Amino acid sequence: MTTIREATYGLLRRHGMTTVFGNPGSNELQFLKDFPEDFQYILGLHEGAVMAMADGYAQATGKAPLVSLHSAAGTGTAMGVLSNTVYSKSPVVVLSGQQVRDMVGQQIMVASHDATQLPRPLTKLSLEPLSPSDVVRSVAEAIHTANLHPKGPTHISVPYDDWEEQADDNTALTIARAVQDAGALAPERLAEITAAIDAARSPVLVLGPEVDATHANADAVRLAERLGAPVWIAPSPPRCPFPTTHAQFAGVLPANVAGIAQLLGGHDLVVVVGAPVFRYHHIHRGRYLADGSRLIHISQDPSEIARAPFGDAYLAPVADTLARLSETVAAREVEPRQPAPRATAEDRPGLLDPNTVFRAISELAPRDAIHVVESTSTAAPFWSNVEMTEQGSF
Amino acid sequence: MTTIREATYGLLRRHGMTTVFGNPGSNELQFLKDFPEDFQYILGLHEGAVMAMADGYAQATGKAPLVSLHSAAGTGTAMGVLSNTVYSKSPVVVLSGQQVRDMVGQQIMVASHDATQLPRPLTKLSLEPLSPSDVVRSVAEAIHTANLHPKGPTHISVPYDDWEEQADDNTALTIARAVQDAGALAPERLAEITAAIDAARSPVLVLGPEVDATHANADAVRLAERLGAPVWIAPSPPRCPFPTTHAQFAGVLPANVAGIAQLLGGHDLVVVVGAPVFRYHHIHRGRYLADGSRLIHISQDPSEIARAPFGDAYLAPVADTLARLSETVAAREVEPRQPAPRATAEDRPGLLDPNTVFRAISELAPRDAIHVVESTSTAAPFWSNVEMTEQGSF
Amino acid sequence: MTTIREATYGLLRRHGMTTVFGNPGSNELQFLKDFPEDFQYILGLHEGAVMAMADGYAQATGKAPLVSLHSAAGTGTAMGVLSNTVYSKSPVVVLSGQQVRDMVGQQIMVASHDATQLPRPLTKLSLEPLSPSDVVRSVAEAIHTANLHPKGPTHISVPYDDWEEQADDNTALTIARAVQDAGALAPERLAEITAAIDAARSPVLVLGPEVDATHANADAVRLAERLGAPVWIAPSPPRCPFPTTHAQFAGVLPANVAGIAQLLGGHDLVVVVGAPVFRYHHIHRGRYLADGSRLIHISQDPSEIARAPFGDAYLAPVADTLARLSETVAAREVEPRQPAPRATAEDRPGLLDPNTVFRAISELAPRDAIHVVESTSTAAPFWSNVEMTEQGSF
Amino acid sequence: MTTIREATYGLLRRHGMTTVFGNPGSNELQFLKDFPEDFQYILGLHEGAVMAMADGYAQATGKAPLVSLHSAAGTGTAMGVLSNTVYSKSPVVVLSGQQVRDMVGQQIMVASHDATQLPRPLTKLSLEPLSPSDVVRSVAEAIHTANLHPKGPTHISVPYDDWEEQADDNTALTIARAVQDAGALAPERLAEITAAIDAARSPVLVLGPEVDATHANADAVRLAERLGAPVWIAPSPPRCPFPTTHAQFAGVLPANVAGIAQLLGGHDLVVVVGAPVFRYHHIHRGRYLADGSRLIHISQDPSEIARAPFGDAYLAPVADTLARLSETVAAREVEPRQPAPRATAEDRPGLLDPNTVFRAISELAPRDAIHVVESTSTAAPFWSNVEMTEQGSF
């Protein structure tokens, strides 16, 4: 016979989720008992740090980590970082401990009252199974939901007395499941988008975080080179989808309506891939897009597609779409672009110009360095000076 | 200049949503003022009836209707029927009237307090825009979300003083948007599923409501005939995905674990398309699937895929997948099946046997009749006797 | 040994809840099995009717009925009437059936997915116990919450396989509990309000539904007569708190800002008891209260108190406060008021004037008749003509 | 004319809320502009610290602080500490910044999508006004709700472009409001509880955090001395309601069912005031209360009352009830209790015994020191050694 705990570790192993990030309390001890030798537990002493490590792990490896948190206050403390995980589309499965089943309703100590509410509206799914017999399937549901596009965090709360219960026969079937996103851009749609691009006088590409999240950076380079088009990164970027050293790299779009409309205004076709249209920040009003411009929006996030205020949208897989478009669009003869000149540093005595700092960082950093930025006021010199060429650099 | 109301009607017209079902109260008068001549308003005097008509319209036409309901009590009364709309995957956009913006917080008469909560968790999306300037985009978001797969109901609440406000320049861009689901089954996945089917000794098909909802009934017939395999309808069917008169039609699966496992037990491969795995109802415990059987689950509903307790799953468009599989799988030579014999009617004096009733109905009904069933206790004789051959028959 | 079902009936019996209103489906059969002989089940075939009967029962008897509804669609259909129950402050306990515990997560047939969400934000509490062992305590929590002020509906969802489980020893303690609202107006506050009233040149009373809901109608009459002040009913009344035949009865306040400010403008003190301040409906803007007027607001609903835009508020029991104020305020010598003349009926050939209709109804109705009004456009002639003198008349 | 910002500061000033704790981002700048000179802004660089300071301020002063946080991630980070604020019943008003009204729906940068959800189910109220005109009233609603019993945190989200809008005439009425909890224990109930206590052979008192939160510590001492009864602190205490140096102080109840039943078993009457019954933590099963014991539960938190599994409950103000009972119950002649002997410290070379540490702390601390404990494993020696005699010591 197998316990729910053993079956759950079997399920995690099946999905390659042998790295667990956590900060345990009393409710988690039953789950962590007999922690398997092939699993690794990364301890953090603050839930914000735990979530941030897990998010970074997901971005760096493309794999979904399990995050084991304490109930109420423990899970609560992670909500801040979790709200960023949503927009970086990192598949993170948060498992909150819970008091014993029959006492939660009394709101005893470290019970999470109404536990599925707390992580809403941030997680794609928030579950608390009604019975120990449904725990393994519920964890599986949280894993699959996190991994299906658009990827993102999910949450499940499990009373700690469930872990010692016996798993039934059907559990093996649940563990054995393989689940995959099986879609690709439809051939008729490929033809349609190809025709629009080929007919454009001056197309421009705008790339967003899903390009990096789906490891499609190289495909994006191929498409961009075939078109000879300038490439912008969508505003407020949580990831870097295109090499900043590439001659066609034009920079990061400003996070305001008027600024974007102006910069993209000269192009008759704007193709946005894997980004919201657009994640503005600063409020300078204006028309979203200049007359004579058309915008095509390709994303695998239905919410991004549905809520955008303008642009014709295709809900389609980002990596597959970039790969196939890079073969079907007509290659163009374009004058090689001059890379944008770097900003000049103006150091004053005792004060280093940010351009100087970032250039020094860039020169010293190894090629596969991962850059983390906390200073929004120096975003411009950062993107102008720091060379990032690999998937997962930012 | 254009008002928000005029712009909203323009948006609805753009999406072919000129049929409005409703039951108005005081909050809706501003929206219905100057009702355009090319629109049709279908009045129902109970919100349950209004929602049911709208659901039927969506099923019959494949188009998304607008449902205009009164606030709190009006919208509340529709929640029962709405819970069925979820499982029939009908794209219905519910627009609830609301009191004037600055007084809702006081919970004055016919204000909907916390209006986005009420239709949760039934709708895919529930919105109340924070500003009149965001109304047209929000209605568009509700329309696009309802229409992207898996289709389903959405909800938006709009204060009635918004309708007379002016729409800004960008509104035209929002109205002009085209949005489409652009995915198809990926070629590698097609090969994988085809190989699994061709290798099977005795495959069987189980079809669910998404086959009918995506108008893929004829594709399902083609695939079934190519394989010569029996075809079951998934349990608790809200739609009819396969002609009940077809020689390969095996019936409706029973809604319990043991019954399904037994009926599918002789097959080494079960291919479920467009259904949950499975929507059980009666509780007879047992193993979900016999040893030696494998189940492949194809659906375009990520929740269905993620929550299923067994089977290997592909998230892929149902209609496209059926169409392409019907060309790639190897045609089999199979003995023509004998249609299942019909149940014998045993009428007693003064009591008609249900078999007699349903056979009479079936003989009298025109080919394109739409059957609506309210009696769950006579499901077996219904499916055994009533001939349904067209999309949208049930 | 006792089953959860038996213990639950014991709990209901302890609280005098032997009248059950319902419309059952498959999930409710286990609860209704062996239905005790001293209980009465009132069947309704539409959940709106079931809820409305239960609400009426609560208003007429002051007791909390149990409402037994089917899951998802059944409970959903009741949401419309439930939204009125909130404002009439009727203590109604809604018990929704649910599928078996371990299958709800799969969203099988007639399972209520995320069952506690649906009745929000309407109910004071919405629960689904995590374990059979917590069912009796949870039902008790729903009963106590419904009955504590401000009274109102609560909701609980129970998987049907729980009913046959065994209740543990502590259950008897839960059933035995007595719970009561033990507060009264504090003496210092009584003195404060009394002084304010005695100092007023021309006080006026405005009464709301909590006066009738707490059976304080006679206390209100005593206070009004001591003061000789006119008495208005707060706008959009769901109950009748004062005899419409009383000489001091001034009518129902109009449901708009300007109208109320004008009618109350001549009074230097407005005392509102047991009503929101105010439940407006029609929007005529203006200043809430004339200069020189002060408003004192007495209610036992913290939400009503907190959200009101004006007036000095006391959170205190309505019945106790009226009873004690009627003894402490100084009796005034006031000219007996002439009752407001009734509107003149203007019948035209073939068309009865509403005044005629309502006067006829009033003359024919017994003294303890209960009046139910569905026509908001004839509110004025209704209140002018129909004589209601008893608690629970409306 | 007055802006919404100026009016809001006027409202805060009216309620003595001139101390603001916060950690600002871009959305908060408009609110903090022209920050009034009579206000104090306490900056914290982590939202957990900000909330903890605010909670401490509320506990120490009895006044409600305003907490100004950034949207999504900023507010999210505070959720952990907020979950403790709920159980210490500290009235804290959290004001979250929000992006401009018309762009929130697009989920632009630092917009809080579905902003009222995040702090649920922790806060008593979570609001986002639909219009600038409703901002001042909404902030007032959040303040009043936080301050009405049972006190606790509330949340409001305000788009930053609202602050510059004009306040209308009625705003002055909203600012001027006085709101108070006006209830006291009803005389009949006082008599009832008094009789029960006087009839008891061996009553015992159990005190909880609401005694300290309502500054009723001295009343509790008076009642205890009149009865000569031992006084326990309810388990898992977030506050200290009784002097630990008092001869009748018996200790902190253990946080498990069997332990409490055993310790209280010799008493025929247990009077619990201002605590849940009970906030267990460790799970040792057993009967909640010994045969022959009766428990009376007095609290002003309806949820605590409704959800308790045993005991007869009175919903009544804690401070008033303690004060009045201390006058009405019969004084008893009781042998003076010997204070419980302190645990003996067993220091080993290089290892200080916790008893030694806490005794040293207690001897060095001033009388009005505030003790904060993070180590749950040394709870017993802490409560045994540290002398706390004042309200707000813990």
Side-chain angles (χ1 to χ4, degrees):
Chain A
M1 291 291 280
T2 306
T3 62
I4 300 295
R5 181 179 55 241
E6 288 162 352
T8 302
Y9 280 115
L11 175 74
L12 295 170
R13 191 179 284 117
R14 164 86 173 84
H15 290 286
M17 299 172 69
T18 54
T19 302
V20 178
F21 296 85
N23 186 15
S26 51
N27 292 347
E28 288 70 43
L29 300 181
Q30 295 296 322
F31 173 63
L32 297 175
K33 217 176 91 179
D34 303 327
F35 193 71
E37 297 213 350
D38 57 332
F39 279 65
Q40 192 180 9
Y41 188 93
I42 315 283
L43 177 70
L45 295 180
H46 187 285
E47 287 76 8
V50 170
M51 274 299 298
M53 287 191 293
D55 188 333
Y57 175 88
Q59 293 196 28
T61 66
K63 293 200 293 186
L66 185 78
V67 174
S68 167
L69 298 179
H70 195 43
S71 51
T75 301
T77 304
M79 293 299 103
V81 176
L82 190 65
S83 73
N84 293 326
T85 299
V86 174
Y87 291 101
S88 60
K89 309 213 161 161
S90 305
V92 173
V93 178
V94 179
L95 172 66
S96 294
Q98 174 66 295
Q99 265 284 12
V100 295
R101 279 203 171 268
D102 61 340
M103 304 289 272
V104 170
Q106 297 185 31
Q107 298 189 26
I108 65 172
M109 196 73 182
V110 301
S112 262
H113 161 231
D114 212 353
T116 60
Q117 286 299 314
L118 186 56
R120 293 178 184 174
L122 301 177
T123 53
K124 290 178 66 182
L125 185 81
S126 182
L127 288 178
E128 187 167 54
L130 288 180
S131 156
S133 311
D134 201 35
V135 167
V136 179
R137 194 205 56 77
S138 297
V139 176
E141 183 174 350
I143 294 172
H144 298 314
T145 302
N147 281 313
L148 288 169
H149 291 293
K151 299 191 179 196
T154 57
H155 173 253
I156 175 168
S157 164
V158 178
Y160 77 71
D161 49 346
D162 287 5
W163 299 116
E164 294 287 345
E165 300 283 326
Q166 294 301 310
D168 69 17
D169 271 5
N170 283 320
T171 308
L173 296 174
T174 301
I175 296 175
R177 298 184 75 209
V179 166
Q180 52 192 316
D181 242 319
L185 181 65
E188 311 77 14
R189 299 289 90 77
L190 176 64
E192 204 171 290
I193 303 174
T194 301
I197 293 176
D198 287 348
R201 179 183 42 78
S202 168
V204 58
L205 287 179
V206 179
L207 305 178
E210 272 199 325
V211 174
D212 188 71
T214 57
H215 295 226
N217 314 53
D219 297 314
V221 169
R222 255 199 312 280
L223 175 60
E225 293 182 348
R226 185 110 165 177
L227 296 175
V231 176
W232 291 92
I233 295 181
S236 315
R239 292 170 175 256
C240 177
F242 197 80
T244 62
T245 53
H246 197 283
Q248 289 170 241
F249 175 59
V252 176
L253 284 178
N256 68 77
V257 169
I260 290 179
Q262 188 196 335
L263 282 169
L264 302 179
H267 301 278
D268 57 343
L269 180 66
V270 181
V271 180
V272 181
V273 185
V277 170
F278 282 113
R279 207 159 175 228
Y280 303 114
H281 185 179
H282 308 294
I283 309 300
H284 303 156
R285 306 284 180 180
R287 200 176 150 81
Y288 288 130
L289 198 63
D291 268 342
S293 281
R294 184 189 169 200
L295 186 145
I296 289 182
H297 182 195
I298 298 162
S299 160
Q300 61 207 61
D301 183 337
S303 164
E304 257 174 41
I305 294 265
R307 71 183 190 251
F310 65 106
D312 293 332
Y314 293 87
L315 181 66
V318 161
D320 168 79
T321 301
L322 283 171
R324 290 165 73 192
L325 283 177
S326 72
E327 289 171 10
T328 56
V329 298
R332 299 183 181 222
E333 295 286 329
V334 200
E335 288 285 297
R337 278 172 62 95
Q338 275 313 97
R342 295 230 164 114
T344 311
E346 300 190 12
D347 297 327
R348 282 172 297 170
L351 275 181
L352 286 178
D353 185 295
N355 285 292
T356 306
V357 175
F358 287 125
R359 198 161 309 161
I361 288 173
S362 186
E363 279 160 15
L364 293 168
R367 188 178 163 83
D368 61 351
I370 297 176
H371 297 272
V372 176
V373 177
E374 267 295 321
S375 164
T376 52
S377 57
T378 57
F382 172 81
W383 286 97
S384 172
N385 287 284
V386 176
E387 304 190 351
M388 293 182 287
T389 57
E390 307 293 302
Q391 190 279 332
S393 294
F394 181 64
Chain B
M1 291 292 281
T2 306
T3 62
I4 299 295
R5 181 178 56 240
E6 288 162 352
T8 301
Y9 281 115
L11 175 75
L12 295 170
R13 191 179 283 117
R14 164 83 173 87
H15 291 286
M17 300 170 69
T18 53
T19 302
V20 179
F21 297 84
N23 186 15
S26 52
N27 292 346
E28 289 67 45
L29 301 180
Q30 295 296 321
F31 172 64
L32 297 175
K33 217 176 91 179
D34 303 328
F35 193 71
E37 297 213 349
D38 57 333
F39 278 65
Q40 192 182 9
Y41 188 94
I42 315 283
L43 176 70
L45 294 181
H46 186 285
E47 287 77 7
V50 170
M51 274 298 299
M53 286 192 292
D55 189 334
Y57 175 88
Q59 293 196 29
T61 65
K63 294 200 292 185
L66 185 78
V67 174
S68 167
L69 298 179
H70 195 42
S71 51
T75 301
T77 303
M79 293 298 103
V81 177
L82 190 64
S83 73
N84 293 325
T85 299
V86 174
Y87 291 101
S88 60
K89 309 213 162 163
S90 306
V92 173
V93 179
V94 179
L95 173 65
S96 296
Q98 175 65 296
Q99 265 283 11
V100 295
R101 279 202 172 270
D102 62 340
M103 303 289 271
V104 169
Q106 296 184 32
Q107 298 187 27
I108 64 172
M109 196 72 182
V110 301
S112 262
H113 161 232
D114 212 353
T116 61
Q117 287 298 314
L118 186 56
R120 292 178 185 176
L122 302 177
T123 54
K124 290 179 66 182
L125 185 80
S126 181
L127 288 177
E128 187 167 54
L130 289 179
S131 155
S133 312
D134 201 35
V135 167
V136 179
R137 194 204 57 78
S138 297
V139 176
E141 183 174 350
I143 294 171
H144 297 314
T145 301
N147 281 313
L148 288 170
H149 291 293
K151 299 190 180 198
T154 56
H155 173 252
I156 176 168
S157 163
V158 178
Y160 77 70
D161 50 345
D162 286 5
W163 299 116
E164 294 287 345
E165 299 284 326
Q166 293 301 310
D168 70 16
D169 271 3
N170 283 319
T171 307
L173 296 174
T174 300
I175 295 175
R177 296 185 77 208
V179 167
Q180 52 191 315
D181 242 319
L185 182 64
E188 310 77 12
R189 298 292 89 78
L190 176 63
E192 205 172 289
I193 302 174
T194 301
I197 293 177
D198 287 348
R201 179 182 42 79
S202 169
V204 59
L205 287 180
V206 180
L207 304 178
E210 273 198 326
V211 174
D212 188 73
T214 58
H215 295 226
N217 313 52
D219 297 314
V221 170
R222 256 200 312 279
L223 176 60
E225 294 181 346
R226 185 110 165 178
L227 295 176
V231 176
W232 291 92
I233 295 181
S236 316
R239 291 170 177 256
C240 178
F242 197 79
T244 62
T245 52
H246 197 283
Q248 289 169 241
F249 175 58
V252 177
L253 283 178
N256 67 77
V257 169
I260 291 180
Q262 188 195 334
L263 282 169
L264 302 180
H267 300 278
D268 58 341
L269 181 66
V270 181
V271 180
V272 181
V273 185
V277 170
F278 281 111
R279 207 158 176 227
Y280 304 113
H281 184 179
H282 308 294
I283 308 300
H284 304 155
R285 305 285 179 180
R287 201 176 148 80
Y288 288 129
L289 198 64
D291 267 341
S293 281
R294 184 188 170 201
L295 186 145
I296 290 182
H297 182 194
I298 298 162
S299 160
Q300 60 208 62
D301 183 336
S303 165
E304 256 173 40
I305 295 266
R307 71 181 190 252
F310 65 106
D312 294 329
Y314 293 86
L315 181 66
V318 160
D320 167 79
T321 300
L322 283 172
R324 289 164 73 193
L325 283 177
S326 72
E327 289 170 9
T328 57
V329 298
R332 300 183 180 220
E333 296 286 330
V334 200
E335 289 284 297
R337 279 172 62 95
Q338 278 309 98
R342 294 232 164 113
T344 312
E346 301 189 11
D347 295 328
R348 282 172 296 170
L351 276 181
L352 285 178
D353 185 295
N355 285 291
T356 306
V357 175
F358 288 125
R359 198 159 310 162
I361 289 173
S362 185
E363 277 159 17
L364 293 168
R367 188 178 163 82
D368 61 352
I370 297 177
H371 297 272
V372 176
V373 177
E374 266 295 321
S375 165
T376 53
S377 56
T378 56
F382 172 81
W383 286 97
S384 172
N385 287 284
V386 176
E387 304 191 350
M388 294 181 286
T389 57
E390 307 292 302
Q391 191 279 331
S393 295
F394 182 64
Chain C
M1 291 290 281
T2 306
T3 62
I4 300 295
R5 180 179 57 239
E6 289 162 352
T8 301
Y9 281 114
L11 175 75
L12 295 170
R13 190 178 285 115
R14 165 85 174 85
H15 290 287
M17 299 171 70
T18 53
T19 303
V20 179
F21 296 85
N23 186 13
S26 50
N27 292 345
E28 288 68 45
L29 300 181
Q30 296 295 322
F31 173 64
L32 297 175
K33 217 176 91 179
D34 303 328
F35 193 72
E37 296 213 350
D38 58 333
F39 279 65
Q40 191 181 11
Y41 188 94
I42 315 283
L43 176 69
L45 294 181
H46 186 286
E47 288 76 9
V50 170
M51 275 297 301
M53 286 192 293
D55 189 335
Y57 176 88
Q59 293 196 29
T61 66
K63 293 201 291 186
L66 184 78
V67 174
S68 168
L69 298 179
H70 194 43
S71 51
T75 302
T77 304
M79 294 298 103
V81 176
L82 190 64
S83 73
N84 292 327
T85 299
V86 174
Y87 290 101
S88 60
K89 308 213 164 163
S90 305
V92 174
V93 179
V94 179
L95 173 65
S96 295
Q98 174 65 297
Q99 265 285 9
V100 294
R101 280 205 170 268
D102 61 340
M103 304 289 272
V104 170
Q106 296 184 32
Q107 298 187 27
I108 65 172
M109 196 72 182
V110 300
S112 262
H113 161 231
D114 213 353
T116 60
Q117 286 299 312
L118 186 56
R120 294 179 183 173
L122 302 176
T123 54
K124 289 179 67 183
L125 184 80
S126 181
L127 287 178
E128 187 167 54
L130 289 180
S131 155
S133 311
D134 201 35
V135 167
V136 179
R137 195 205 56 77
S138 297
V139 176
E141 183 174 350
I143 294 171
H144 298 314
T145 302
N147 282 314
L148 288 170
H149 291 293
K151 299 191 180 197
T154 57
H155 173 252
I156 176 168
S157 164
V158 178
Y160 76 72
D161 49 346
D162 287 6
W163 299 116
E164 293 288 346
E165 299 283 326
Q166 293 300 311
D168 70 16
D169 270 5
N170 283 319
T171 308
L173 296 174
T174 300
I175 295 175
R177 299 185 73 208
V179 167
Q180 54 192 313
D181 242 319
L185 182 64
E188 310 79 13
R189 298 291 89 76
L190 176 64
E192 205 172 288
I193 303 174
T194 301
I197 293 176
D198 287 349
R201 178 183 41 78
S202 168
V204 60
L205 286 179
V206 179
L207 304 178
E210 272 198 327
V211 174
D212 187 73
T214 59
H215 295 226
N217 313 53
D219 297 313
V221 169
R222 257 200 312 280
L223 176 61
E225 292 180 349
R226 186 110 165 176
L227 295 176
V231 176
W232 291 91
I233 295 182
S236 316
R239 290 170 176 258
C240 177
F242 197 80
T244 62
T245 52
H246 197 283
Q248 289 170 244
F249 176 58
V252 177
L253 283 178
N256 69 77
V257 169
I260 290 179
Q262 187 195 333
L263 281 169
L264 303 180
H267 300 276
D268 59 342
L269 181 67
V270 181
V271 181
V272 180
V273 186
V277 170
F278 283 114
R279 203 156 179 230
Y280 304 114
H281 184 179
H282 308 293
I283 308 300
H284 304 156
R285 306 282 179 181
R287 200 175 150 81
Y288 288 129
L289 199 63
D291 267 341
S293 281
R294 184 189 169 202
L295 187 145
I296 289 183
H297 183 195
I298 298 163
S299 160
Q300 60 207 63
D301 183 336
S303 164
E304 255 173 43
I305 295 264
R307 70 181 191 253
F310 65 106
D312 293 331
Y314 293 86
L315 181 66
V318 161
D320 168 79
T321 301
L322 284 171
R324 291 164 73 192
L325 282 176
S326 71
E327 291 170 9
T328 56
V329 298
R332 301 183 180 221
E333 296 285 331
V334 201
E335 290 283 297
R337 279 172 63 95
Q338 277 310 98
R342 294 232 164 116
T344 312
E346 301 189 11
D347 296 326
R348 283 172 297 170
L351 276 181
L352 286 178
D353 185 293
N355 285 292
T356 306
V357 176
F358 288 125
R359 199 160 309 163
I361 288 173
S362 187
E363 279 158 16
L364 293 169
R367 189 178 162 81
D368 60 352
I370 297 177
H371 297 272
V372 176
V373 177
E374 267 295 320
S375 164
T376 52
S377 56
T378 57
F382 172 81
W383 287 97
S384 172
N385 288 284
V386 177
E387 303 191 351
M388 293 181 287
T389 57
E390 307 293 301
Q391 190 279 331
S393 296
F394 181 63
Chain D
M1 291 292 279
T2 306
T3 62
I4 300 294
R5 182 179 54 241
E6 289 162 352
T8 301
Y9 281 115
L11 175 75
L12 294 170
R13 190 179 285 115
R14 165 85 174 85
H15 291 286
M17 299 171 69
T18 53
T19 303
V20 178
F21 297 84
N23 186 15
S26 50
N27 292 346
E28 289 69 44
L29 300 181
Q30 296 295 322
F31 173 64
L32 297 175
K33 219 176 90 178
D34 303 327
F35 193 71
E37 296 213 350
D38 58 333
F39 278 65
Q40 192 180 9
Y41 188 94
I42 315 283
L43 177 69
L45 295 181
H46 186 284
E47 287 78 7
V50 170
M51 275 298 300
M53 287 191 292
D55 188 334
Y57 175 89
Q59 293 196 28
T61 65
K63 294 200 291 186
L66 185 78
V67 174
S68 167
L69 298 179
H70 195 43
S71 51
T75 302
T77 303
M79 293 299 103
V81 177
L82 189 66
S83 72
N84 293 326
T85 299
V86 174
Y87 291 100
S88 59
K89 309 213 163 163
S90 305
V92 174
V93 179
V94 179
L95 172 65
S96 295
Q98 175 64 297
Q99 265 283 12
V100 294
R101 279 202 172 270
D102 61 340
M103 304 288 272
V104 170
Q106 297 184 31
Q107 298 187 27
I108 65 171
M109 196 73 183
V110 301
S112 263
H113 161 231
D114 212 353
T116 60
Q117 286 297 314
L118 187 55
R120 294 180 183 172
L122 302 176
T123 54
K124 289 178 68 182
L125 184 80
S126 181
L127 288 178
E128 188 167 55
L130 289 179
S131 154
S133 312
D134 200 36
V135 166
V136 179
R137 195 204 56 79
S138 298
V139 175
E141 183 174 350
I143 294 171
H144 298 314
T145 301
N147 281 314
L148 289 170
H149 291 293
K151 300 191 179 196
T154 57
H155 173 252
I156 176 168
S157 163
V158 178
Y160 77 72
D161 49 347
D162 287 5
W163 299 117
E164 294 287 345
E165 299 283 326
Q166 293 302 310
D168 69 18
D169 270 5
N170 283 319
T171 307
L173 296 174
T174 299
I175 295 175
R177 298 185 74 208
V179 167
Q180 53 192 315
D181 242 319
L185 182 64
E188 310 78 13
R189 298 291 88 78
L190 176 64
E192 203 172 290
I193 302 175
T194 301
I197 292 176
D198 287 348
R201 178 183 42 78
S202 169
V204 60
L205 286 179
V206 179
L207 305 178
E210 271 198 326
V211 174
D212 188 73
T214 58
H215 294 227
N217 312 53
D219 297 313
V221 169
R222 255 200 312 280
L223 175 60
E225 293 181 348
R226 185 111 165 177
L227 296 175
V231 177
W232 291 92
I233 295 181
S236 316
R239 292 170 176 256
C240 178
F242 197 79
T244 62
T245 53
H246 197 283
Q248 289 171 242
F249 175 59
V252 177
L253 283 178
N256 69 76
V257 169
I260 290 180
Q262 188 196 334
L263 282 168
L264 302 180
H267 300 278
D268 58 340
L269 180 66
V270 181
V271 180
V272 181
V273 186
V277 170
F278 284 111
R279 205 159 176 227
Y280 304 113
H281 185 179
H282 308 294
I283 308 300
H284 304 156
R285 306 284 179 178
R287 201 175 148 81
Y288 289 129
L289 199 63
D291 267 341
S293 280
R294 185 188 169 202
L295 187 144
I296 289 182
H297 182 195
I298 299 161
S299 160
Q300 61 207 61
D301 183 336
S303 164
E304 255 173 41
I305 296 263
R307 70 181 190 251
F310 65 106
D312 293 331
Y314 293 87
L315 181 65
V318 161
D320 168 78
T321 300
L322 284 171
R324 291 164 73 192
L325 282 177
S326 71
E327 289 171 10
T328 57
V329 297
R332 300 185 180 219
E333 294 286 330
V334 201
E335 288 285 296
R337 278 171 61 95
Q338 276 310 98
R342 293 229 165 115
T344 313
E346 299 188 14
D347 296 328
R348 282 172 297 170
L351 277 180
L352 287 177
D353 185 295
N355 285 291
T356 306
V357 176
F358 288 126
R359 198 160 311 160
I361 288 172
S362 186
E363 279 159 16
L364 294 168
R367 190 177 161 84
D368 61 351
I370 297 177
H371 297 271
V372 176
V373 177
E374 268 294 321
S375 164
T376 53
S377 55
T378 57
F382 172 82
W383 287 97
S384 173
N385 288 284
V386 176
E387 304 190 351
M388 293 182 288
T389 57
E390 307 293 301
Q391 191 278 332
S393 295
F394 181 65

